Amino acid sequence: MSAVSVLAVASEIYPLAKTGGLADVVGALPAALAAEGIETVTLVPGYPAVMEKIEAAEPVLAASDLFGGEAKVLRACAAGLDLFVLDAPHLYARPGGPYTGPDGRDWPDNAFRFAALSLTAAQLGLGEAAGFTPDIVHAHDWQAGLAAAYLAYDGRPRPATVFTIHNLAFQGKYPADLLGALGLPPQSFSIDGVEYYNAIGFLKAGLRLSDRITTVSPTYAAEIRTPEGGMGLDGLLRERADVVTGILNGIDDKIWDPEIDPLIASRYAIQSSALRYANKTALQKRLGLAVNPDALVFGVVSRLSWQKGQDLTLANLDILERMGAQLAMLGAGEPWLEEGFRAAALARPGKVGAVFGYDEAIAHQIQAGSDALLIPSRFEPCGLTQLCALRYGALPVAARVGGLADTIIDANEAALASGVGTGFLFSPAASEMLGATIERVGRLWANKEAWSRLMMDGMKTDVSWRRPAIEYARLYRSLVAERRQ
C-alpha cells in the first residue's frame, strides 16, 4: 500500500491553540492516520501561543509582502505534531484569541489573516517548499476555505483537495470589493467560484471548489442538505451530494483516558469503576456543591450559545431541584447565558456550581465526577463532549441531532433489555422534552444496577480515531487513484 502525503490546513490545533473541537480534531487525527500509512503535515498560523511552543524550526518559504508584511513558513515540530507554521507577525502576533481581540470582537482584518493561511496552503500544495509536495490538501472550516480557490485559479497542476465542514453556521463572509486585495482573479467572483450572496464566501469557496467534502457525522451530512439545516448552502450541498461524506470524529483516547488521566482525583477503568466515585466528591467540593454521594450530578461542558441549547438547561432547574439533583457547569459564551448560570448558582447554593471560561482540568473533572452530561444542542455537527462522557462513564443526555444521534444509543426499554443503550436521546430540542428526559434519567438513577450496567456499556464504546482514520485513508487513496488515471 503506497504512502499518501497530506497537507492539513487549520486555524487551530490542540494543544497549541484551541477554542473548540476543531483544534482537538486537527491535533489528534494525524497520529491516527499514520497508522494507515498517511503522512500528515499541518499548516497553522503563528499565533504567539504557537510560536512559544515550536521546536527545531527551519524556514522553508518566504514572502516579502503577504497582505501587508513580511512572512515566512517554518517547518517545525511541537507536542509530537509535524507542522508548517505561518510566521507572519503583522497578522498573528497580537493578544487575544485566534479570531477575536481582548475585547471579544472579531479582528477587522480576519479576511486577510485567513486568506494568508489559505494562500500559503496553496503554495505548499504546489510544491513551493523544497522537499514536500502533498498528494492532498485537506482544509478545515471556513478559515481555510480559500485554499481550494487559490489552487483552482492558479492554473498549474495541483494536488487533490478535501474540505471538512466542522460547523456550517460559521461561514466567513466578506465584502466583494476585497476580491483583488485578496489576490483572487475577477472570474472567481461567480456562482461557480467564491461569490456568495454578492459577497466573498470563504466556506462557500471550499464547498464549491474542493474535490471532496466531508463533515463530521453522517446525520449532519444529511441535515445540511435540507433548507432547515443548510444555512443558505443546502442547494449547493444537494448539487454536490455525490462528493459529500459524513465521517464521525473521534477523541484522543490517550488524553481522554480515565485510567491514566493526571487531571482527575481518582483514576479508574471499566473493571475498577467503583474508584470513579471519589471524583464525584472532588467535583462537588471544587464547584461548591453539597457533598452527597446519593445526589444525581448533571454536568455541562459547553460553549454557551443558542446552538448548544443550554438555555433549555436553565429552564429545567426546578425539575433538577425537585429531584434533589445537582448541576456542575463549565462554559463561556453569550452574555445572557453566562448571566443565567451565574444567577442560578447564586440562587441555588450547593445545588448549582458554575465556572466560566474554559479550563481543561475542570472539563476532565466534570466528565469523571458527574453522573450524566447535558447536551441539549439544537444542532450539532458531531460533538466531542458526548464521546468523552461515554469514555468516562458519565451518561450523555442529548438532543437527537447530528453526531449526537450517530454516537449515542438511547436507553429505551428495548435497548436496556438487550444491553445496547449508552445514554439518553430526546427530540425535538425543546425545554419540555429535555425536562421529560431528565425525569427519565432520574427514574433510572433509582435503579443502581441498571444504571451501572448502562454506564459500563457506554464505557465500552469505541470513541477513538481508529475507525474514522480508516475512512479518511480510504477517501484519500481513492482521490489519489482518480488523479493518477
Side-chain angles (χ1 to χ4, degrees), residues 388-424:
C388 300
L390 290 167
R391 180 93 164 127
Y392 277 61
L395 300 183
V397 182
R400 193 188 293 273
V401 295
L404 301 174
D406 289 335
T407 53
I408 301 165
I409 301 172
D410 183 61
N412 55 43
E413 288 189 18
L416 286 171
S418 55
V420 296
T422 58
F424 302 86

Side-chain angles (χ1 to χ4, degrees), residues 11 14 27 34 73 84 105-106 137 174 197-198 257 279 325 367 428:
S11 57
Y14 181 83
V73 178
F84 286 117
R105 297 174 183 267
D106 285 354
V137 172
Y174 294 99
Y197 291 99
N198 205 36
D257 182 354
N279 292 296
Q367 297 285 9

Side-chain angles (χ1 to χ4, degrees), residues 47 91-92 94 97-99 107 109-117:
Y47 310 122
L91 298 174
Y92 306 123
R94 53 183 73 171
Y99 319 116
W107 292 111
D109 59 346
N110 271 350
F112 294 98
R113 297 174 74 236
F114 297 112
L117 182 70

Side-chain angles (χ1 to χ4, degrees), residues 22-381:
L22 169 63
D24 292 311
V25 172
V26 175
L29 186 53
L33 287 169
E36 301 301 318
I38 307 295
E39 174 200 0
T40 306
V41 186
T42 307
L43 171 66
V44 293
Y47 310 122
V50 173
M51 299 302 295
E52 290 166 7
K53 295 169 187 167
I54 60 174
E55 308 155 9
E58 176 190 358
V60 295
L61 200 62
S64 59
D65 183 10
L66 180 63
F67 301 131
E70 293 184 359
K72 58 182 178 288
V73 178
L74 306 175
R75 183 74 183 260
C77 61
L81 298 163
D82 195 358
L83 302 172
F84 286 117
V85 177
L86 178 54
D87 182 13
H90 62 294
L91 298 174
Y92 306 123
R94 53 183 73 171
Y99 319 116
T100 60
D103 61 359
R105 297 174 183 267
D106 285 354
W107 292 111
D109 59 346
N110 271 350
F112 294 98
R113 297 174 74 236
F114 297 112
L117 182 70
S118 293
L119 180 58
T120 302
Q123 292 167 338
L124 293 169
L126 292 166
E128 293 187 16
F132 181 79
T133 303
D135 299 300
I136 308 274
V137 172
H138 186 164
H140 293 268
D141 256 359
W142 74 263
Q143 297 91 345
L146 286 188
Y150 288 123
L151 285 166
Y153 295 111
D154 181 272
R156 287 177 281 175
R158 63 169 179 82
T161 49
V162 176
F163 183 74
T164 294
I165 308 161
H166 293 264
N167 192 333
L168 198 68
F170 300 100
Q171 300 188 353
K173 188 177 175 184
Y174 294 99
D177 58 13
L178 293 181
L179 191 75
L182 293 173
L184 291 164
Q187 68 267 28
S188 69
F189 196 71
S190 73
I191 194 170
D192 293 323
V194 305
E195 187 273 333
Y196 181 54
Y197 291 99
N198 205 36
I200 300 166
F202 280 45
L203 184 135
K204 188 264 181 168
L207 299 180
R208 169 56 71 184
L209 297 167
S210 297
D211 298 316
R212 292 288 188 278
I213 299 164
T214 74
T215 192
V216 289
S217 72
T219 293
Y220 191 60
E223 290 173 346
I224 60 177
R225 297 200 295 268
T226 68
E228 297 77 18
M231 306 204 173
L233 289 160
D234 52 290
L236 171 57
L237 288 162
R238 283 194 299 275
E239 180 186 337
R240 302 211 69 204
D242 59 331
V243 301
V244 177
T245 307
I247 300 176
L248 277 171
N249 283 337
I251 56 172
D252 188 330
D253 58 358
K254 296 180 179 62
I255 293 171
W256 291 98
D257 182 354
E259 198 165 4
I260 59 172
D261 191 335
L263 301 176
I264 63 177
S266 175
R267 298 173 191 174
Y268 59 96
I270 294 176
Q271 62 273 21
S272 58
S273 60
L275 298 174
R276 183 178 193 274
Y277 295 104
N279 292 296
K280 183 172 187 172
T281 300
L283 178 65
Q284 288 171 327
K285 290 178 178 178
R286 175 67 182 81
L287 268 73
L289 301 170
V291 175
N292 179 359
D294 296 321
L296 172 54
V297 176
F298 288 90
V300 169
V301 179
S302 179
R303 189 170 75 248
L304 299 181
S305 66
W306 179 88
Q307 175 203 336
K308 298 295 184 178
Q310 291 299 340
D311 55 304
L312 307 181
T313 298
L314 288 172
N316 281 285
L317 291 179
D318 286 345
I319 291 178
L320 292 181
E321 186 165 3
R322 190 165 65 243
M323 291 166 52
Q326 299 174 348
L327 181 69
M329 194 286 298
L330 171 67
E334 296 174 16
W336 66 281
L337 283 166
E338 288 195 15
E339 182 52 40
F341 280 103
R342 191 171 285 110
L346 288 171
R348 302 168 194 257
K351 299 170 184 174
V352 175
V355 175
F356 298 95
Y358 185 76
D359 184 301
E360 190 77 12
I362 295 176
H364 284 243
Q365 290 157 18
I366 289 176
Q367 297 285 9
S370 59
D371 300 300
L373 208 78
L374 295 174
I375 318 166
S377 301
R378 290 181 168 92
F379 65 93
E380 191 61 71

